[in-house]
Amino acid sequence: MDELLAEQVRYYRERAPEYDATSRPDGDPFANVTALAVGDLRRLGPVEHAIELGAGTGQFTGVLAEIAGQVTALDTSPEVLALNAAKVQAGNVRRVVGDVFAWRPAEPVPLVVFGFLLSHIPRQRFAAFWQSVGEMLALDGVAFVIDETPHGAWREETAAAEGDEGGAGRVVREGAAVGEVVVRTLRDGRRFRIVKVLWDPAELGGALARLGWETRLTRGDPFYWGTVRPVD
Ligand SMILES: C[S@@+](CC[C@H](N)C(=O)[O-])C[C@H]1O[C@@H](n2cnc3c(N)ncnc32)[C@H](O)[C@@H]1O
């Protein structure tokens, strides 16, 4: 794994205990938009088996447990999966520690879901990411994505603004463009570089069309969401 993506994995492992408290602004002003996305996700059920990539602490795992006979929740962080298990106490969820680029299911499934993972994939790895999703999907299967648009609701600290010597060149060599790398700070002050690519859904639809996917995406800032299917 690239050094930058490995740092991102470490970040989410270390952030696990504070993820739920810090992932949304106080009072969650975007709860209504999230509810619309979750409604669309629910309407994709019932399915026999759903895979959730980057399942995290379980923001969407409970919904999947309700609409799928079986859920496989994948994440590179055992720490978030432990919190996921405490939060989503459903007998039909299997949790697996693994990397989306390397892990494959025993059998392809009808539904693959990822919330707030695509924005952590550098553009250079975009095709490889969708190749992985395609290999997990059964014939007639569908992927569902929800993530951040290029909104102005909050700001990230870009890595280039850090001013570390040669930072920009270093970042490019590690497999991500300069503007794709941001710095996150944990409550104890430790800082990590992670990838953040905010897709406009129209631009994302175009990029996916070139890879042979068709999209039905809805924009409701600060999020977009919807289905992605391989073109026959
Ligand atoms: C922003 S969090 C989203 C978590 C959850 N889906 C949610 O909506 O709250 C991204 C998650 O993806 C996981 N992750 C990052 N890179 C990954 C990879 N290569 N393979 C699998 N999971 C990954 C992180 O550990 C983290 O839990």
Side-chain angles (χ1 to χ4, degrees):
M1 188 182 274
D2 297 340
E3 193 188 315
L4 178 60
L5 293 189
E7 187 167 333
Q8 176 163 270
V9 167
R10 282 201 304 281
Y11 166 70
Y12 276 108
R13 295 191 64 178
E14 298 294 338
R15 189 187 171 193
E18 60 195 69
Y19 183 85
D20 282 352
T22 56
S23 60
R24 288 294 163 83
D26 283 348
D28 194 354
F30 311 114
N32 289 349
V33 187
T34 309
L36 291 176
V38 167
D40 285 353
L41 173 58
R42 275 187 194 283
R43 280 186 282 280
L44 296 177
V47 294
E48 210 174 287
H49 190 171
I51 291 173
E52 186 181 10
L53 305 175
T57 58
Q59 180 173 201
F60 301 108
T61 312
V63 175
L64 292 179
E66 290 171 22
I67 65 166
Q70 194 190 337
V71 179
T72 301
L74 183 84
D75 204 288
T76 38
S77 164
E79 293 82 1
V80 298
L81 288 179
L83 294 166
N84 183 307
K87 189 191 290 181
V88 183
Q89 297 181 357
N92 60 341
V93 180
R94 185 174 73 102
R95 295 172 181 84
V96 179
V97 177
D99 176 5
V100 64
F101 291 102
W103 178 85
R104 294 293 180 273
E107 299 283 340
V109 302
L111 178 63
V112 175
V113 175
F114 32 99
F116 305 99
L117 175 63
L118 184 60
S119 56
H120 293 310
I121 306 298
R123 286 173 196 260
Q124 280 190 27
R125 303 289 294 268
F126 182 77
F129 175 83
W130 285 97
Q131 171 84 24
S132 298
V133 173
E135 288 174 13
M136 295 175 198
L137 273 182
L139 234 57
D140 295 331
V142 61
F144 182 90
V145 57
I146 172 167
D147 219 306
E148 281 176 54
T149 56
H151 58 79
W154 61 86
R155 289 215 166 172
E156 298 265 9
E157 176 185 344
T158 61
E162 248 200 326
D164 57 325
E165 12 77 50
R170 187 174 52 126
V171 165
V172 169
R173 279 200 302 279
E174 284 170 21
V178 177
E180 296 178 349
V181 183
V182 302
V183 178
R184 293 273 182 88
T185 306
L186 293 180
R187 281 176 166 168
D188 65 6
R190 280 177 298 157
R191 289 159 68 74
F192 296 82
R193 293 169 314 145
I194 68 163
V195 174
K196 203 72 196 181
V197 178
L198 303 185
W199 287 94
D200 171 84
E203 184 198 5
L204 178 60
L208 281 168
R210 288 189 285 281
L211 294 178
W213 297 84
E214 65 182 22
T215 50
R216 296 187 74 167
L217 300 173
T218 302
R219 181 169 183 161
D221 276 0
F223 307 133
Y224 69 86
W225 65 90
T227 55
V228 185
R229 298 170 199 269
V231 178
D232 291 338

